[in-house]
Amino acid sequence: MTGDTQSWRRAAPASPVTLDDVARRAGVSLATASRALGEHPHVAAATRARVREAAEALDYVASPEAARLAGGPTGRVAVLVPHPSRWFFGELIEGLEAALRAADLDLVLFRVGGPEERAAFFDRLPARRKVDAVVVLAVAVDDAEHARLASLGVDVVVAGGRVAPYPSVGIDDHGAGRQAMDHLLHLGHRRIGLIAVDDDARASAWRTALADAGIEPEDELATTVAWGGEGGAEGMARLLGLRTPPTAVFAHDDETALGAIRTLRRAGLRVPEDLSVIGVDDHPLAALTDLTTVAQPVREQGRRAGELVAAALRGDLQEPLAEVLPTRLVLRGTTSPPGAPR
Amino acid sequence: MTGDTQSWRRAAPASPVTLDDVARRAGVSLATASRALGEHPHVAAATRARVREAAEALDYVASPEAARLAGGPTGRVAVLVPHPSRWFFGELIEGLEAALRAADLDLVLFRVGGPEERAAFFDRLPARRKVDAVVVLAVAVDDAEHARLASLGVDVVVAGGRVAPYPSVGIDDHGAGRQAMDHLLHLGHRRIGLIAVDDDARASAWRTALADAGIEPEDELATTVAWGGEGGAEGMARLLGLRTPPTAVFAHDDETALGAIRTLRRAGLRVPEDLSVIGVDDHPLAALTDLTTVAQPVREQGRRAGELVAAALRGDLQEPLAEVLPTRLVLRGTTSPPGAPR
DNA sequence: TTGAAAGCGCTAACAG
DNA sequence: CTGTTAGCGCTTTCAA
C-alpha cells in the first residue's frame, strides 16, 4: 500500500485493452474476434485459437457494458428479498450466490419487505434494463406484480416457496407441517396448539393432520402471530390463557418455537414434560437449544434456484418445473408423550 | 395474468423508454436532458424541472450500461460479505440496502468467505469497472487487495469494522469489551473467563480490563473458538474443565454466549447463580433468552456506510473519516454477583 | 444556457 | 468461415 495520504481515494483506472486490440494482434476483424471469444459456432478452430491466444496475451477483459449495450445479456440477476437479516433468507442468499457465481452471474439485491418497498420495486421496476433474470425469495407475487415482472422481459425463478406459473424450488410446506403434526400425534397428543405466522400451508397441515386423526380442529387452539421470537412468545401466552391449554404446540418455525418456549419457562412450565414444542427449519439455534424440528435444506434451495436461473438464461430450461426438496423430522428434546413423567 | 401456459417465460420487454423520449417530451435536446437529470450545474432550473417531470411521467430508468460506456458511473456498489446468513451481516445488509436505494444505487453482493472467494472477487472485478464503489463488511483487506481496488478506481468504505486507510463506520470493539468486562468486575467477579473468536479488540479488552482492576490475566482463562453457538459451547466446556473455573464469562458475541449457556445448563449449572455470562450484539435472541449483553447498532452501521458511499461518489467526502457508533450495556438476567444466593 | 455531433466497446445482421 | 457496417443509449466536447 502506498504511503500516500490520499491512498484511500480512488486512483486512475488502468488502461483498457479493447477487442479491437485483440483482433489486430490476431490478424482478424473485430467481428471475427467477437465471434471467436463468444461461443459462436461458425468460426475456424485455428482462428479461434489464435484470437484466444491474443486475448490471453493482452490480458483482455470484455466490457460488460458495451456487450450489453450491443444486445448481449447483462450477466446480472436481481434477487428480491423480504428480510435479509433473517437466517432463512441469509441461507437462501448464500446458496444463490454460490450458484450464480459459478455461472458467472452477479447478484443484485433488492429488498421488498413492506408494502411500500414492494410498491417501490414493482411500480418503478428499478431492475429494468439491469438484469437478465429475477429470483423471488419466498414472497407471494400477486397478479398485478406478475404482470409487471413480465413486462421486464426477464426470466423469473422462485426460491423458498412456490408462486403460480414460475419455475421454483422449495419444500412441501404442507408435508413439513404433517411431519411435525404426525410426530406429535404419534406421541399421543390430542390437544395440539398452532402458532402460525400466516394462513399458509403449514397452518393448513395442522387442520388436516388433526382431522385425519379424527380430532376436530378447535379454532381457539390456532393463533396467528407476527414472525419471530416475540411473536412466538405472545402466541404461547395466548394458548396458555385458554381454559384448557394444549399439551403440545406446533410452531411455524424454530424462532417462533423458541419464543414459545421462553413463555413456557417463564410460566414455570417444563418442556417437554408439561408441554411439547416443535418447529420447522432446523435453525442453528435449534440444535443448540435441543429443539425438535422439521429440517429443511435452505441453502440448497438457494443453490438450486441459482442453477435454474443459469439454465433458463442458457435456454436450457424447457418446462417451468417446480422442484421440491425433502424435509426431515429431527428428534430432539422438546417433545415427549403428553403428561410424561420426567 | 394471462392464462398462457408459457406465461412464466420471459415476455417481450415493454418498450424501453430512452433519454431521447424524455427529451422530446420535455421539449429539449438529448444533451440537455442528460445534463438536467445528472446533477450538472449549468441548466436552467425551469428546464431541469420540466425534464424531471417528463422522466417521471415516462417512468424513465437510465441504462447503466450506456451511461457507463459513455464515461459515466455505473450506479452500482459492490458489497463484500463473509457470511450472509449471520444475523450481524444480514442487519448490515439491510441498512446498506436502504441507504443505497435512497441514493439510487444498486447493491451487488459478493460473498468473500474463504481465500478462494476473495481471490475470485479481486481477480474478476478486474480491469473493467463493474461498480463505482466497494463496501467491505467487517473483513480485513490486505495490501495487494487494497492496491487492486485502488487501481480499479473505485471508492472503498468499510462497515462493521475498521480497515487501514478507508472511511469506515463501526463500533469501538475495545470499548464494548470494556463495557462488558467492567460490568462483570463491578459485580465483584475476579476470575473471569474469555471465549474469543479471534485475537481481536474484544479479546484485548479482556486483558486490559483485568489488568486495570489489578488482576493478572491468566492465559488458561482465555480460549479461542470457532464462531457460533457450537464454538461457544465448546469454549465453555474447556473453561469448566479448569481446576478452578471462572465465576463469569465474557463471550465474543451473543450467539457464542448462548452456546456457552447451553453447556452450563447441560452441566447442571445455573446461570447466573453459578456462573455469569455476557455477550455482545443484542441479537434478537438475546432479548428472548434474557441474555445480558452489550448492544451495538448494526443496521445503523450499514445505513451510515451506505450514506458514506453515496457521499464519496458525489465527491462530497473530503476526509476518510472513521465513524464510531455507540454501544450500550443491556442488563438482563444472565449476570449477577459471584456466588450470589439464588 | 442549450443544441449538434462524436464516440464509448461490442454484437448482430448482412454480405462476401 | 470471415469482413463490413450499423447501431445499442448515454455523456461530452464544441459551437451557437
Side-chain angles (χ1 to χ4, degrees):
Chain A
M1 142 166 43
T2 90
D4 185 347
T5 47
Q6 294 280 307
S7 69
W8 64 279
R9 281 197 160 288
R10 59 178 136 178
S15 67
V17 176
T18 73
L19 225 203
D20 226 29
D21 300 325
V22 175
R24 201 153 348 179
R25 189 179 218 271
V28 297
S29 77
L30 209 186
T32 302
S34 172
R35 284 187 285 248
L37 260 23
E39 308 293 273
H40 272 76
H42 301 289
V43 191
T47 310
R48 178 164 315 209
R50 201 139 35 80
V51 174
R52 287 206 173 139
E53 210 168 291
E56 184 85 25
L58 262 32
D59 211 26
Y60 167 76
V61 181
S63 157
E65 344 294 335
R68 171 63 187 129
L69 195 51
T74 67
R76 258 172 263 135
V77 173
V79 176
L80 271 39
V81 196
H83 306 287
S85 67
R86 293 188 192 171
W87 173 82
F88 178 78
F89 294 103
E91 284 286 314
L92 236 26
I93 290 174
E94 275 202 44
L96 254 173
E97 202 274 348
L100 294 181
R101 153 107 33 141
D104 216 44
L105 294 166
D106 284 333
L107 188 168
V108 185
L109 190 84
F110 292 90
R111 192 224 224 271
V112 290
E116 340 68 40
E117 286 167 328
R118 296 181 73 100
F121 182 85
F122 289 104
D123 288 354
R124 186 131 178 65
L125 243 33
R128 221 173 337 161
R129 301 160 119 184
K130 294 179 180 167
V131 298
D132 302 326
V134 174
V135 177
V136 180
L137 298 193
V139 305
V141 176
D142 66 34
D143 287 4
E145 293 170 340
H146 173 189
R148 290 296 282 166
L149 235 31
S151 80
L152 267 177
V154 301
D155 283 300
V156 177
V157 168
V158 174
R162 178 136 170 54
V163 176
Y166 306 120
S168 66
V169 38
I171 60 168
D172 173 1
D173 275 291
H174 188 89
R178 284 302 295 246
Q179 284 178 292
M181 287 299 293
D182 288 346
H183 168 58
L184 261 20
L185 289 164
H186 264 69
L187 287 174
H189 292 277
R190 312 246 333 142
R191 192 160 177 79
I192 303 176
L194 167 73
I195 302 183
V197 159
D198 249 327
D199 184 18
D200 59 7
R202 295 186 198 170
S204 93
W206 173 78
R207 291 186 180 285
T208 61
L210 288 175
D212 287 358
I215 302 169
E216 171 73 16
E218 295 177 38
D219 282 344
E220 64 169 18
L221 283 175
T223 176
T224 299
V225 301
W227 182 88
E230 291 306 329
E234 186 190 326
M236 190 70 245
R238 276 189 223 146
L239 294 178
L240 285 184
L242 258 32
R243 276 143 305 156
T244 314
T247 63
V249 167
F250 167 36
H252 174 270
D253 60 89
D254 291 345
E255 282 162 280
T256 305
L258 257 22
I261 290 175
R262 199 241 340 217
T263 294
L264 292 170
R265 291 245 164 81
R266 291 215 173 152
L269 293 171
R270 294 160 308 162
V271 177
E273 292 83 352
D274 297 317
L275 211 147
S276 289
V277 176
I278 188 170
V280 174
D281 269 355
D282 200 20
H283 187 290
L285 258 51
L288 210 64
T289 51
D290 208 28
L291 175 69
T292 296
T293 189
V294 175
Q296 65 166 320
V298 185
R299 193 175 307 195
E300 178 70 6
Q301 290 174 60
R303 209 180 55 65
R304 279 302 295 153
E307 293 173 351
L308 245 44
V309 192
L313 291 179
R314 277 195 312 269
D316 284 355
L317 196 60
Q318 290 317 314
E319 315 218 345
L321 71 170
E323 282 193 27
V324 176
L325 268 35
T327 54
R328 107 184 170 278
L329 182 65
V330 178
L331 261 30
R332 284 200 274 248
T334 56
T335 51
S336 71
R342 186 100 53 104
Chain B
M1 146 163 47
T2 91
D4 185 345
T5 47
Q6 294 280 310
S7 67
W8 65 278
R9 280 201 160 286
R10 60 176 134 183
S15 63
V17 177
T18 74
L19 225 204
D20 226 29
D21 300 324
V22 176
R24 200 152 350 182
R25 190 179 216 271
V28 297
S29 77
L30 210 186
T32 302
S34 172
R35 284 187 284 247
L37 259 24
E39 310 289 271
H40 271 76
H42 299 288
V43 189
T47 310
R48 178 164 314 207
R50 204 138 35 82
V51 173
R52 287 205 173 140
E53 208 167 291
E56 183 84 25
L58 260 32
D59 218 22
Y60 169 74
V61 175
S63 158
E65 338 295 337
R68 173 74 190 113
L69 192 53
T74 66
R76 259 171 256 139
V77 173
V79 176
L80 272 38
V81 196
H83 305 288
S85 67
R86 295 187 191 170
W87 173 82
F88 177 78
F89 294 104
E91 284 286 315
L92 236 26
I93 291 174
E94 276 202 42
L96 256 172
E97 201 273 349
L100 294 181
R101 159 84 40 107
D104 217 43
L105 293 165
D106 284 330
L107 187 168
V108 187
L109 190 85
F110 293 90
R111 191 225 221 274
V112 290
E116 342 68 40
E117 286 166 326
R118 299 179 71 99
F121 175 80
F122 287 98
D123 289 351
R124 281 184 59 254
L125 176 68
R128 299 337 182 105
R129 273 223 333 275
K130 289 173 130 177
V131 297
D132 301 327
V134 175
V135 178
V136 179
L137 299 192
V139 305
V141 175
D142 68 33
D143 286 3
E145 293 169 342
H146 169 97
R148 183 85 201 204
L149 251 21
S151 79
L152 276 171
V154 299
D155 281 299
V156 179
V157 168
V158 175
R162 177 136 171 54
V163 176
Y166 304 120
S168 66
V169 51
I171 60 167
D172 173 3
D173 275 291
H174 187 89
R178 284 301 296 246
Q179 285 179 291
M181 287 298 296
D182 289 346
H183 169 56
L184 260 20
L185 288 164
H186 264 70
L187 288 174
H189 292 277
R190 314 251 327 148
R191 193 162 175 77
I192 303 175
L194 168 73
I195 302 183
V197 159
D198 249 328
D199 184 19
D200 59 8
R202 294 185 199 170
S204 92
W206 173 78
R207 290 186 181 286
T208 61
L210 287 176
D212 287 358
I215 302 170
E216 170 73 15
E218 295 177 36
D219 281 345
E220 65 169 19
L221 283 175
T223 177
T224 299
V225 302
W227 182 88
E230 291 305 330
E234 187 190 326
M236 191 68 247
R238 277 189 223 145
L239 294 178
L240 285 184
L242 260 30
R243 276 145 305 155
T244 314
T247 63
V249 168
F250 167 37
H252 174 271
D253 62 89
D254 291 345
E255 281 162 281
T256 305
L258 257 21
I261 291 176
R262 196 237 346 214
T263 293
L264 291 170
R265 293 246 164 78
R266 291 213 174 153
L269 294 171
R270 294 160 307 163
V271 177
E273 292 83 352
D274 298 317
L275 212 145
S276 288
V277 176
I278 188 170
V280 174
D281 269 357
D282 200 20
H283 186 292
L285 258 51
L288 210 64
T289 52
D290 208 28
L291 175 69
T292 296
T293 190
V294 175
Q296 65 166 320
V298 185
R299 192 174 309 195
E300 179 68 7
Q301 291 175 58
R303 208 179 57 63
R304 278 301 295 154
E307 294 174 351
L308 246 43
V309 192
L313 291 179
R314 278 195 311 268
D316 284 355
L317 197 58
Q318 290 316 316
E319 314 217 346
L321 72 168
E323 284 194 26
V324 176
L325 268 36
T327 55
R328 106 183 172 278
L329 181 65
V330 178
L331 262 29
R332 285 202 272 248
T334 57
T335 51
S336 70
R342 184 108 54 102

